[in-house]
Amino acid sequence: MSKKIIKNELPENYEELKKAANRTSSWRARYDAVEELGKYNASQVIDILNSRLANDPVYKVQEEAYRILLEFGENVEVPERKKFEVIKGANKVFLRVKKSLPADHTFEQFLDKLKRMRNDVYDAYEGEKGLDWLKNEWANINTKSNNK
């Protein structure tokens, strides 16, 4: 297995990677950008990686930024996995989406509407918790709504 070559310069597509690393609608784009930026040990790259480490709602992205920063010799702490809300107020978003749909709507209809209304929330929870978790949350919102 060959060691990854790290360059002490900015990539030619730095601006594009910078935008992708901050794209709220796609944790996969952020992850891929972080991974690609990890090949370039430059202060601007380190700033972006530190931002993803501290602020990304998806742990996989934080973890990748952490791993790369360690490789670069940066003094960073292991990111803490969020125990409750990945995005503050997301439960209210889920409830609002659920209430905006017909009573007999499907989980797929819920996901579609969530993506249209708040793709950032959908993306963060899909990346962090997965679709099974979202389906369980949707079912619980259904139960809660019927009890009110």
Side-chain angles (χ1 to χ4, degrees):
M1 182 179 233
S2 63
K3 186 170 180 341
K4 176 171 73 169
I5 297 172
I6 297 174
K7 302 173 184 173
N8 291 320
E9 60 189 41
L10 286 176
E12 286 183 25
N13 60 343
Y14 169 73
E15 288 300 323
E16 180 184 318
L17 289 170
K18 180 180 174 182
K19 284 179 187 169
N22 293 306
R23 190 163 290 131
T24 58
S25 64
S26 176
W27 72 267
R28 286 176 183 86
R30 293 192 310 274
Y31 182 90
D32 291 345
V34 163
E35 197 173 47
E36 183 65 25
L37 287 166
K39 298 174 185 172
Y40 300 88
N41 188 349
S43 62
Q44 296 97 318
V45 168
I46 291 170
D47 288 345
I48 291 170
L49 295 176
N50 274 313
S51 176
R52 290 298 91 216
L53 174 61
N55 303 312
D56 205 281
V58 176
Y59 190 76
K60 292 172 196 163
V61 178
Q62 290 180 319
E63 200 172 40
E64 184 65 5
Y66 169 76
R67 185 191 64 72
I68 293 166
L69 287 165
L70 277 183
E71 273 184 20
F72 287 175
E74 295 294 308
N75 183 14
V76 289
E77 292 185 25
V78 178
E80 250 186 73
R81 192 179 283 274
K82 292 179 180 81
K83 291 179 181 151
F84 303 106
E85 285 186 313
V86 173
I87 293 181
K88 190 172 169 59
N91 290 337
K92 290 179 183 175
V93 172
F94 297 147
L95 181 60
R96 190 168 43 240
V97 170
K98 194 260 175 243
K99 284 185 173 181
S100 73
L101 292 165
D104 62 347
H105 72 274
T106 64
F107 175 63
E108 289 71 26
Q109 289 170 319
F110 172 81
L111 283 184
D112 184 54
K113 183 104 184 222
L114 178 60
K115 287 179 202 176
R116 284 185 281 127
M117 286 177 70
R118 289 292 304 272
N119 192 54
D120 60 323
V121 172
Y122 165 79
D123 185 74
Y125 278 87
E126 186 268 332
E128 183 64 23
K129 303 275 191 181
L131 289 179
D132 287 341
W133 183 91
L134 275 167
K135 189 168 191 169
N136 187 52
E137 187 68 12
W138 167 76
N140 287 337
I141 290 170
N142 236 350
T143 303
K144 291 175 195 170
S145 297
N146 292 338
N147 291 339
K148 287 184 178 176

